[in-house]
mmCIF file of all heavy atoms in Angstrom:
data_model
loop_
_atom_site.group_PDB
_atom_site.id
_atom_site.type_symbol
_atom_site.label_atom_id
_atom_site.label_comp_id
_atom_site.label_asym_id
_atom_site.label_seq_id
_atom_site.Cartn_x
_atom_site.Cartn_y
_atom_site.Cartn_z
ATOM 1 N N VAL A 38 -53.670 -65.228 -31.529
ATOM 2 C CA VAL A 38 -53.733 -63.842 -31.990
ATOM 3 C C VAL A 38 -53.568 -62.801 -30.882
ATOM 4 O O VAL A 38 -53.571 -61.610 -31.169
ATOM 5 C CB VAL A 38 -55.042 -63.566 -32.769
ATOM 6 C CG1 VAL A 38 -55.117 -64.416 -34.011
ATOM 7 C CG2 VAL A 38 -56.251 -63.749 -31.886
ATOM 8 N N SER A 39 -53.404 -63.229 -29.635
ATOM 9 C CA SER A 39 -53.283 -62.241 -28.559
ATOM 10 C C SER A 39 -52.335 -62.732 -27.476
ATOM 11 O O SER A 39 -52.047 -63.926 -27.357
ATOM 12 C CB SER A 39 -54.656 -61.952 -27.937
ATOM 13 O OG SER A 39 -55.093 -63.065 -27.174
ATOM 14 N N LEU A 40 -51.887 -61.788 -26.673
ATOM 15 C CA LEU A 40 -51.024 -62.110 -25.545
ATOM 16 C C LEU A 40 -51.774 -62.960 -24.518
ATOM 17 O O LEU A 40 -51.215 -63.907 -23.967
ATOM 18 C CB LEU A 40 -50.510 -60.816 -24.916
ATOM 19 C CG LEU A 40 -49.368 -60.936 -23.925
ATOM 20 C CD1 LEU A 40 -48.119 -61.495 -24.589
ATOM 21 C CD2 LEU A 40 -49.065 -59.580 -23.305
ATOM 22 N N ALA A 41 -53.032 -62.639 -24.281
ATOM 23 C CA ALA A 41 -53.829 -63.408 -23.321
ATOM 24 C C ALA A 41 -53.933 -64.873 -23.744
ATOM 25 O O ALA A 41 -53.797 -65.778 -22.910
ATOM 26 C CB ALA A 41 -55.215 -62.797 -23.172
ATOM 27 N N GLU A 42 -54.170 -65.116 -25.030
ATOM 28 C CA GLU A 42 -54.230 -66.504 -25.523
ATOM 29 C C GLU A 42 -52.890 -67.203 -25.335
ATOM 30 O O GLU A 42 -52.849 -68.382 -24.987
ATOM 31 C CB GLU A 42 -54.602 -66.524 -27.003
ATOM 32 C CG GLU A 42 -56.027 -66.192 -27.304
ATOM 33 C CD GLU A 42 -56.321 -66.218 -28.796
ATOM 34 O OE1 GLU A 42 -55.398 -66.085 -29.624
ATOM 35 O OE2 GLU A 42 -57.514 -66.376 -29.119
ATOM 36 N N LEU A 61 -50.027 -56.536 -30.952
ATOM 37 C CA LEU A 61 -51.163 -57.428 -30.735
ATOM 38 C C LEU A 61 -52.345 -56.615 -30.219
ATOM 39 O O LEU A 61 -52.163 -55.509 -29.708
ATOM 40 C CB LEU A 61 -50.786 -58.523 -29.730
ATOM 41 C CG LEU A 61 -49.628 -59.428 -30.144
ATOM 42 C CD1 LEU A 61 -49.252 -60.363 -28.997
ATOM 43 C CD2 LEU A 61 -49.970 -60.219 -31.395
ATOM 44 N N PRO A 62 -53.541 -57.155 -30.312
ATOM 45 C CA PRO A 62 -54.713 -56.398 -29.847
ATOM 46 C C PRO A 62 -54.656 -56.029 -28.368
ATOM 47 O O PRO A 62 -55.190 -55.005 -27.961
ATOM 48 C CB PRO A 62 -55.889 -57.332 -30.118
ATOM 49 C CG PRO A 62 -55.383 -58.442 -30.937
ATOM 50 C CD PRO A 62 -53.898 -58.438 -30.878
ATOM 51 N N ASP A 63 -53.975 -56.851 -27.572
ATOM 52 C CA ASP A 63 -53.942 -56.601 -26.133
ATOM 53 C C ASP A 63 -52.545 -56.255 -25.596
ATOM 54 O O ASP A 63 -52.323 -56.246 -24.392
ATOM 55 C CB ASP A 63 -54.521 -57.796 -25.371
ATOM 56 C CG ASP A 63 -53.799 -59.097 -25.657
ATOM 57 O OD1 ASP A 63 -52.966 -59.142 -26.589
ATOM 58 O OD2 ASP A 63 -54.084 -60.090 -24.962
ATOM 59 N N SER A 64 -51.618 -55.969 -26.497
ATOM 60 C CA SER A 64 -50.276 -55.579 -26.074
ATOM 61 C C SER A 64 -49.572 -54.902 -27.245
ATOM 62 O O SER A 64 -49.777 -55.278 -28.402
ATOM 63 C CB SER A 64 -49.488 -56.810 -25.618
ATOM 64 O OG SER A 64 -48.236 -56.423 -25.102
ATOM 65 N N TYR A 65 -48.708 -53.949 -26.916
ATOM 66 C CA TYR A 65 -48.105 -53.149 -27.969
ATOM 67 C C TYR A 65 -46.611 -52.955 -27.717
ATOM 68 O O TYR A 65 -46.212 -52.614 -26.604
ATOM 69 C CB TYR A 65 -48.799 -51.777 -28.026
ATOM 70 C CG TYR A 65 -48.280 -50.865 -29.098
ATOM 71 C CD1 TYR A 65 -48.709 -50.982 -30.404
ATOM 72 C CD2 TYR A 65 -47.327 -49.896 -28.790
ATOM 73 C CE1 TYR A 65 -48.224 -50.142 -31.397
ATOM 74 C CE2 TYR A 65 -46.841 -49.050 -29.768
ATOM 75 C CZ TYR A 65 -47.285 -49.183 -31.072
ATOM 76 O OH TYR A 65 -46.800 -48.372 -32.053
ATOM 77 N N THR A 69 -44.796 -56.235 -25.192
ATOM 78 C CA THR A 69 -45.263 -57.568 -25.586
ATOM 79 C C THR A 69 -44.171 -58.594 -25.325
ATOM 80 O O THR A 69 -44.391 -59.617 -24.677
ATOM 81 C CB THR A 69 -45.658 -57.587 -27.082
ATOM 82 O OG1 THR A 69 -46.643 -56.587 -27.312
ATOM 83 C CG2 THR A 69 -46.185 -58.950 -27.494
#
Side-chain angles (χ1 to χ4, degrees):
V38 298
S39 71
L40 193 63
E42 287 179 338
L61 299 174
D63 58 350
S64 185
Y65 181 82
T69 304

